[in-house]
Amino acid sequence: GQNIDQPTEMTATEGAIVQINCTYQTSGFNGLFWYQQHAGEAPTFLSYNVLDGLEEKGRFSSFLSRSKGYSYLLLKELQMKDSASYLCAVRDTGGFKTIFGAGTRLFVKA
Amino acid sequence: EAGVVQSPRYKIIEKKQPVAFWCNPISGHNTLYWYLQNLGQGPELLIRYENEEAVDDSQLPKDRFSAERLKGVDSTLKIQPAELGDSAVYLCASSFAGTSGDTQYFGPGTRLTVL
């Protein structure tokens, strides 16, 4: 079956580094996305990984290991505005459907 | 460049009433998606259009939900009649085939409350 697992909630301190993990089981794989979603707002695109390795984009980095069905999103120099839900999503090859995880709610405290 | 536009932003109706949501995708995006998102959950696909063709509507409850994208641009999602369990946020997204993994860009959503 299709399954994406990520922690429900995480708490971190302003200025720190946090890693949000995502594991997936899908019938096929054609890329993994991370989205940020503030409460009451639309998801906004953060990153896309299709090959193994680390993709860095400013304070945010995303890592993928296809053999392990594993990804993480790394947020550095945390700011209060980073408090949001982070959605991991996998694009399946069967029909090119994108499946979303339930999201990880990140709380950044002062 | 304008993003995905949705209206209305909020809708409150009584059960058994009809309701419609409208979406205008990013200009040039040929793929349009309708998702349902419950509180604390990720978006769940209802229907995906490639231009004006619905290529994946397997998760659309066709007894009460319908959608159309007549000219391959904007789209309407309708529920008739609405049930209490339909209360959720309805998100529209669009993408351009050929971009990195068909990255989807979301609209602000319509928050539906069924009383």
Side-chain angles (χ1 to χ4, degrees):
Chain A
Q2 319 267 52
N3 196 48
I4 297 178
D5 286 317
Q6 42 182 141
T8 303
E9 287 185 0
M10 298 182 71
T11 301
T13 304
E14 192 175 18
I17 299 172
V18 71
Q19 178 174 312
I20 302 174
N21 296 324
C22 170
T23 57
Y24 63 89
Q25 291 177 311
T26 55
S27 53
F29 180 84
N30 194 28
L32 185 142
F33 301 84
W34 284 96
Y35 283 84
Q36 180 191 60
Q37 187 175 26
H38 286 99
E41 298 183 12
T44 55
F45 170 73
L46 289 177
S47 68
Y48 169 70
N49 294 68
V50 67
L51 300 176
D52 291 351
L54 187 68
E55 295 277 346
E56 297 187 76
K57 193 185 295 185
R59 294 190 299 115
F60 292 7
S61 302
S62 56
F63 171 84
L64 174 67
S65 170
R66 288 172 295 169
S67 62
K68 295 182 179 178
Y70 168 69
S71 173
Y72 66 73
L73 180 69
L74 194 70
L75 291 76
K76 303 175 186 176
E77 301 170 14
L78 279 173
Q79 302 175 10
M80 299 298 286
K81 68 178 182 179
D82 297 329
S83 293
S85 285
Y86 291 86
L87 300 167
C88 174
V90 173
R91 189 163 187 247
D92 199 343
T93 50
F96 299 102
K97 186 172 182 175
T98 301
I99 302 154
F100 285 81
T104 298
R105 291 184 66 189
L106 174 66
F107 298 93
V108 180
K109 59 182 183 179
Chain B
E1 180 181 308
V4 177
V5 178
Q6 288 188 250
S7 68
R9 290 295 311 276
Y10 304 91
K11 188 74 177 179
I12 300 174
I13 61 172
E14 294 189 346
K15 62 180 180 181
K16 300 184 182 179
Q17 294 300 305
V19 65
F21 314 126
W22 178 80
C23 172
N24 189 263
I26 293 172
S27 178
H29 281 195
N30 57 328
T31 306
L32 184 146
Y33 312 75
W34 283 104
Y35 287 92
L36 177 156
Q37 186 174 28
N38 287 304
L39 190 65
Q41 299 296 316
E44 299 172 31
L45 182 70
L46 290 171
I47 189 168
R48 175 169 66 96
Y49 283 93
E50 296 285 347
N51 300 303
E52 64 273 11
E53 181 182 359
V55 296
D56 185 354
D57 62 357
S58 57
Q59 300 295 101
L60 190 73
K62 298 181 184 64
D63 57 336
R64 297 186 299 108
F65 286 63
S66 63
E68 60 183 15
R69 192 185 186 200
L70 292 176
K71 295 184 179 180
V73 180
D74 57 352
S75 175
T76 303
L77 177 69
K78 297 178 182 178
I79 308 175
Q80 182 170 10
E83 297 179 352
L84 295 176
D86 296 332
S87 294
V89 176
Y90 291 82
L91 294 167
C92 179
S94 69
S95 67
F96 179 70
T99 57
S100 298
D102 269 357
T103 300
Q104 297 176 39
Y105 297 88
F106 286 83
T110 297
R111 183 176 296 277
L112 174 67
T113 301
V114 182
L115 303 175

